[in-house]
Structures are given as C-alpha cells and as structure tokens.
Amino acid sequence: MNPPDVARRAEDVARAAYGKLLAMLASSTRDIMAAEDALAEAFVAALQTWPKRGVPERPEAWLLRVAKNKRIDAARKDKRLVITEELPEMAAPTETDPQIDQRLKLLFVCAHPAIDAGVHTPLMLQTVLGLEAQQIARAFLTSPAAMAQRLVRAKRKIKVAGIPFVLPEAEHFPARMGAVLEAIYGAYAADWMEGVGDLSYEAIFLSTVLADLAPDDAEALGLNALLGFIEARRAARLADGVLVPVPDQDTALWDQRLIDHSARLLRRAARHGTMGRFQLEAAIQSVHAARSVTGQTDWRALSQLYAGLMKTAPTIGAAVSRAAVVAEDAGPAAGLALLDQIAFDGFSRYQPAHAVRAQCLARLGRSAEAAQAYAKAIALCTDAPSRKWLERKATALRAASS
C-alpha cells in the first residue's frame, strides 16, 4: 500500500474509531485532553509505521495499544497523572461490548451538571463523536477560537472536579439525556451534509443503543425514529454529486423497510403521552415519507408540525424550515413574511435562510433580489452538493430573467 493509500486508511480509521478509542483512553485517567494527545500521537505513529510494515490486521487495536503506551509514558513523566485502571482490550463490537459502555459513559460525563450546560452538546460532539472545533463552531454559529476555549475549559473541569466515568443512576438519566440526544443528532446532521457516512452510522448506532437502554424515554425513541426516516433517503439525496431536495427525490430509491421501522418507533414513543423535539421532528419526516405512498406532500400538516416544534423547541433551523414549508402551503409571500420575523442570533450567517429567501423571492418575480440572496447562500455554503444545487438554481434564475 502506497503512502497516500495508507494516509487515507488512517483517516478512515480515525473517523470511524476516534470516539470509542478516546472514550476507552479517557476512562482510565479522567483526563480527556491527555487522552486526545496520546491518540494524536498514535495516529502520527501509524502514518510513520504503516507505510513500512503494512496496515495491521486490527488497526483500531494497534492504535489503542500505541496510545496507551504513550499515555503511560506521559504518566511516568508527570507524577500528577494516575492510570486508575487497565484499558480494556479492543474487540469486535457488540451491543453489550465494554467499548460501547465506555462511549456511553463519556457521553453522560460530558452532560454532567457540574459542566456548563451550554457546552454539553459541543463537548460530546468533539470527544465522543470526533467533530473538530471548526465544525462545531459552524453548527453553533460562533467562532472556532471561542468554541475551542469553551471545550478546553470543560475538559479541565472534568479532570479537576474528578467527575466519575460511570453511567448515571436511572433517576438521573432524564436530566442528562436531552444533551446526549442533541449531540448524537448534531453528529448525524454534520456527517449527513458532508456525505461521508461513518459518523452518521455511529450516530444511528448510539441512538439505537440509547433507545434500548431507556425504552421508556419517548425522546430517545423519537431520535431513533428521526434518524431512521432520514437515513432511509440516503440513496436519493444526491444525483451526480448535486443535492436533491426531499420533495424532488425519487421515492423508489427510499428504504421502505427502514421507513416502516421508524414509523413503529414513533408510534411507541407516542404511547408514552409526552411530546418533545425529536418526536415532532420524526413526525415531520414521517409526513415526507408518506409521499412514497400518496405521491403528494401534505404541506399543511408540515406547517402545523413546525408551528408545534417552534413552541416546543425553537431553533433557527426550525424557524427557517417552517418558513420554507409555509411558503409551499400558503404561498411565497407568507414564507417571506415569516423569514423577516426571525430574530435568532447568527441569522445573517445562516445559509439555509438565504436559500429559502431566494426561492421565495424568485417565485414572487423579484429576480434581482433573488439573485442576491442566492449569491449570499452560495458564499455561505460549506458542502459541495448543496452549493452545486444553489448554483443551478441561480443559473436557472438568470436564464429565466434574460
């Protein structure tokens, strides 16, 4: 295997295994930053060693062993660091595997009440799910430097406060579950836009484990259903590298088995009699999924569900999506009016808002303003498929105007 192939292989392993490796390393010291350093050194060692000796048969186990040795070397140099237990051996994952247990522990550690609630989700996104500070900052509409500082402070708090790496007792699950579910959804969404897949599958896997771990938690079931509905459309979301919006997707490419499974999960969640963000979002996706049967999208139902979502869990994403749906249900002027009412911080930098504005303006015949909105959306776009779709829309607008 040549060096570029080795580098790609190391990158693939890093993307797929980062969270579980870090969780296993950090659990023995409660020092996340030291574990990150050791794991980074292990990946550097892989890039130096694998081209000469070949990629090991079990690359994750190789990385864990090297990182563990790096961690022990660091502990010998710094007497303040204590290895509290031996690291578990890396094995093929199963739903009762200690690797999964370690990841879940780290998720709930990051959601501990001693840590600033505002950093719970970003911390999980980085430590357990492997997102970089820049990606997280983009999702939270803040600067990478500010986000990195917040993450460092939180990791120090975990170490200084001696927060134990254990799953909380059942009565403490609800208090931390919300942040854990938010992080898993955030990781899925970030990877979905990049189209890589590894992190998406990890997020689905963790959401499934949580739904099994807390079968009476309606929101855990709701998230599992939500990710299933979205994942069912994976084969239809791109055409020649260009984004295909949900209403334009070929339903024959959707995974009906996964849609049916997600619908059953959503019904199970509904039986608990409580309604939360992820159940509402799953219900929204179920309306989209119904087009595979009815051949039509029920925009009025979507409008009502988004209104409920804005009351239950108002976010900039939900507000912009509601405006887009209302534009389909009640007309582009109504959608544009809703956009103009949105007052979330970071709205001017939120790319989907400009894309929806451009579509509304174009339908109203305000071509010059629509062109400006498309240009802004394209400038803010960070993923290639969406950018290509926006560029096609902008090109079509210019052709129609001329």
Side-chain angles (χ1 to χ4, degrees), residues 187-200:
Y188 183 88
D191 196 52
W192 177 259
M193 291 310 299
E194 294 182 3
V196 176
D198 292 333
L199 191 53
S200 298

Side-chain angles (χ1 to χ4, degrees), residues 56 129 141 247 267 332 372 376 386:
L129 296 160
L141 302 178
R267 287 194 294 271
Q372 291 178 345
K376 182 69 172 177
S386 295

Side-chain angles (χ1 to χ4, degrees), residues 20 23-24 27 87-105:
K20 58 185 170 185
M24 295 171 78
S27 66
L87 289 172
E89 292 296 322
M90 179 67 71
T94 67
E95 293 207 1
T96 58
D97 194 279
Q99 298 168 40
I100 297 169
D101 188 50
Q102 296 297 340
R103 277 177 285 173
L104 288 175
K105 286 178 183 177

Side-chain angles (χ1 to χ4, degrees), residues 208-228:
T208 302
V209 173
L210 280 175
D212 290 341
L213 189 66
D216 294 328
D217 190 307
E219 280 292 86
L221 294 170
L223 176 64
N224 202 202
L226 170 60
L227 299 190

Side-chain angles (χ1 to χ4, degrees), residues 259-280:
I259 289 173
D260 293 341
H261 174 69
S262 300
R264 288 193 293 271
L265 284 170
L266 186 55
R267 287 194 294 271
R268 278 179 56 196
R271 286 198 290 269
H272 291 286
T274 59
M275 182 60 68
R277 173 195 173 182
F278 293 115
Q279 292 171 81
L280 281 166

Side-chain angles (χ1 to χ4, degrees), residues 135-151:
Q135 293 173 287
I136 301 168
R138 188 163 61 239
F140 284 81
L141 302 178
T142 188
S143 72
M147 180 57 70
Q149 289 176 353
R150 293 176 64 193
L151 291 167

